[in-house]
Amino acid sequence: MKSRIISLSLTIAMVLTACQSSHVTKMPRNKPEVQTLSWVHHFDEEGARKWLEIGTQQFSKQDPSYSFALTGVDGGNYLSLLRTWAISGNMPDMYMIDNLDTAMDFIRSGYAMDLSKQPFLAQIDERYLSGVKSNDGRIWALPIDVNGAGVIYNKETFAKAGIQEPPKTWQQFLEACEALQKVGITPIAAGYKDAWTISWDIAADMLVNQYAANPTWIADIEAGKTSFKNNQIHFKEILQRFGDRLKYVNKNPFETDWNQAQMLLAEGKAGMIINGTWTVDGVKSKNPRSNLGLFAFPYSSDPQKAIFGLKSTGGIVVNPKSPHKEAALRTLELFATQQMGQIFQTNKKALSVIKGLPKDFDPTYIELDSTYIQTGKTYDWSSIYIDFVSQDLQKVFLNAITKFIIDPTHNVDACIQELDQAFNRNRRASK
């Protein structure tokens, strides 16, 4: 009997061991395949790219089933490349736009999702939704920042040249250029090797004049309703001012690219850059100790007309034809949070459109806020263009302005005549 009990005990022990072994060696389930979201942008500045990387990494940490392929494209070729992808049906899951009106072809082609009913839009300051809203009230992008057009200057170079405060009139601007030049500092940094910077070098002057005279001037020129010679927004005077200040730019501007131009300002070798507020990020990425300021382009003899252009148009678009559109919407939800807004301001050195964020994240913007925003010396250029919607006409415009820059006499009348003739030829050819 004892031997039988021992035998039975051993049998039970062997069965239990087998069951336990079977449990331990069970094959684990396969991990879900990681899906990749493609996101195309044109950010050149290190801070903007870092904001994208931090946000997408945070999303992937929350949902490991998704990763991101971030692709940066040169700003000058960005829209053309997107249109090529749209024609071939290879649009990314997410992409950026700068201006809603210039991106309407993507909306008509079904490559932009209507975001109007998305709850995360409640996190956005309502003032900055107009730039992503079509006439029918639908919202097509998540806006991200408030962009400005003006003059970015190095405060240390101004102090070295004895300039007490930013110029408020055109004459004071020219005097500042002379003062900088006298102490061996290039007054204005220009990176015309990147053609898009040419448009932005005259943008601050063009925008404020369009705002004052005719906000639809670009569209009217494009449609043939007016001409450059008509001088509706004082385009002749804008060109004249541009020609007058070209003698103050760095040598060989067409051999200098945008990064090199920013480096000139970062190192104190140049005093100013006339461009967008994103320049602050670009310059501080190269030299974090850069002491920068912003001031309105002083196109007039009246200091009261020195107002700073601010707007928020464009932003992040979701492709509704994407197989990952739900994940893309959740990505937008993350990027609309205050946390990501703070990361944006800290890294990109730009004003976020998200509610409740402070403006003291950078000394440059503290000054902008106190000098212009709080005093009401700003204008909204959300509905004003600096570029022509037609890529052919934009090329014609840039070619004519390039010739104007190269021409040692900077002949204003010849440039205007060439522009009108070239635009008329293009319109006739397109009919």
Side-chain angles (χ1 to χ4, degrees), residues 95-167:
Y95 59 97
M96 315 293 293
I97 59 169
D98 285 333
N99 188 293
L100 190 63
D101 290 325
T102 58
M104 287 304 293
D105 52 333
F106 301 120
I107 294 172
R108 288 190 291 266
S109 302
Y111 285 115
M113 182 181 289
D114 181 359
L115 304 176
S116 306
K117 296 181 180 180
Q118 295 300 321
F120 55 72
L121 290 179
Q123 302 296 324
I124 308 301
D125 189 323
E126 291 81 1
R127 292 176 296 174
Y128 303 126
L129 286 173
S130 60
V132 293
K133 187 183 296 183
S134 53
N135 293 333
D136 58 8
R138 289 189 289 177
I139 295 171
W140 301 98
L142 175 68
I144 55 174
D145 64 347
V146 182
N147 287 322
V151 186
I152 304 89
Y153 73 105
N154 185 312
K155 292 185 177 182
E156 292 178 3
T157 64
F158 269 45
K160 187 176 180 180
I163 304 169
Q164 300 297 318
E165 61 179 7

Side-chain angles (χ1 to χ4, degrees), residues 99-367:
N99 188 293
L100 190 63
D101 290 325
T102 58
M104 287 304 293
D105 52 333
F106 301 120
I107 294 172
R108 288 190 291 266
S109 302
Y111 285 115
M113 182 181 289
D114 181 359
L115 304 176
S116 306
K117 296 181 180 180
Q118 295 300 321
F120 55 72
L121 290 179
Q123 302 296 324
I124 308 301
D125 189 323
E126 291 81 1
R127 292 176 296 174
Y128 303 126
L129 286 173
S130 60
V132 293
K133 187 183 296 183
S134 53
N135 293 333
D136 58 8
R138 289 189 289 177
I139 295 171
W140 301 98
L142 175 68
I144 55 174
D145 64 347
V146 182
N147 287 322
V151 186
I152 304 89
Y153 73 105
N154 185 312
K155 292 185 177 182
E156 292 178 3
T157 64
F158 269 45
K160 187 176 180 180
I163 304 169
Q164 300 297 318
E165 61 179 7
K168 294 183 177 67
T169 67
W170 176 239
Q171 184 59 38
Q172 290 174 0
F173 182 85
L174 294 177
E175 289 170 359
C177 289
E178 287 290 332
L180 287 163
Q181 205 166 57
K182 282 181 181 177
V183 295
I185 297 170
T186 298
I188 304 168
Y192 298 157
K193 187 174 182 180
D194 290 315
W196 69 269
T197 65
I198 297 173
S199 292
W200 275 96
D201 208 332
I202 59 174
D205 201 346
M206 282 182 62
L207 286 170
V208 70
N209 276 280
Q210 287 181 79
Y211 174 77
N214 180 12
T216 64
W217 179 77
I218 287 275
D220 291 346
I221 286 280
E222 193 155 355
K225 295 179 180 179
T226 189
S227 66
F228 291 94
K229 186 179 180 180
N230 187 264
N231 207 33
Q232 197 174 72
I233 65 162
H234 308 290
F235 185 72
K236 183 174 182 178
E237 289 76 11
I238 291 170
L239 268 187
Q240 186 65 60
R241 283 189 290 273
F242 186 44
D244 288 346
R245 59 184 169 84
L246 281 171
K247 63 183 177 182
Y248 297 115
V249 305
N250 46 283
K251 294 180 180 179
N252 305 316
F254 286 99
E255 297 175 18
T256 305
D257 65 23
W258 177 232
N259 279 318
Q260 291 168 325
Q262 291 178 100
M263 186 62 78
L264 290 173
L265 192 66
E267 294 178 343
K269 295 178 180 178
M272 297 176 278
I273 286 180
I274 304 170
N275 207 286
T277 50
W278 50 81
T279 308
V280 175
D281 177 18
V283 173
K284 290 200 171 186
S285 294
K286 294 166 178 57
N287 180 8
R289 294 186 300 276
S290 298
N291 188 5
L292 303 180
L294 292 161
F295 65 89
F297 184 80
Y299 72 99
S300 170
S301 59
D302 181 359
Q304 297 304 315
K305 292 184 177 180
I307 55 178
F308 207 99
L310 292 172
K311 65 99 181 181
S312 179
T313 59
I316 312 171
V317 181
V318 171
N319 176 6
K321 298 181 182 182
S322 162
H324 311 305
K325 59 186 177 184
E326 295 303 325
L329 280 174
R330 289 192 286 116
T331 304
L332 262 60
E333 183 179 6
L334 172 64
F335 274 79
T337 61
Q338 279 196 349
Q339 179 196 17
M340 286 307 301
Q342 289 174 334
I343 291 170
F344 178 86
Q345 290 193 158
T346 301
N347 288 280
K348 193 178 183 294
K349 305 292 188 296
L351 292 168
S352 171
V353 300
I354 296 172
K355 292 177 181 177
L357 294 179
K359 294 183 175 66
D360 59 355
F361 59 93
D362 185 271
T364 310
Y365 286 94
I366 294 174
E367 182 183 30

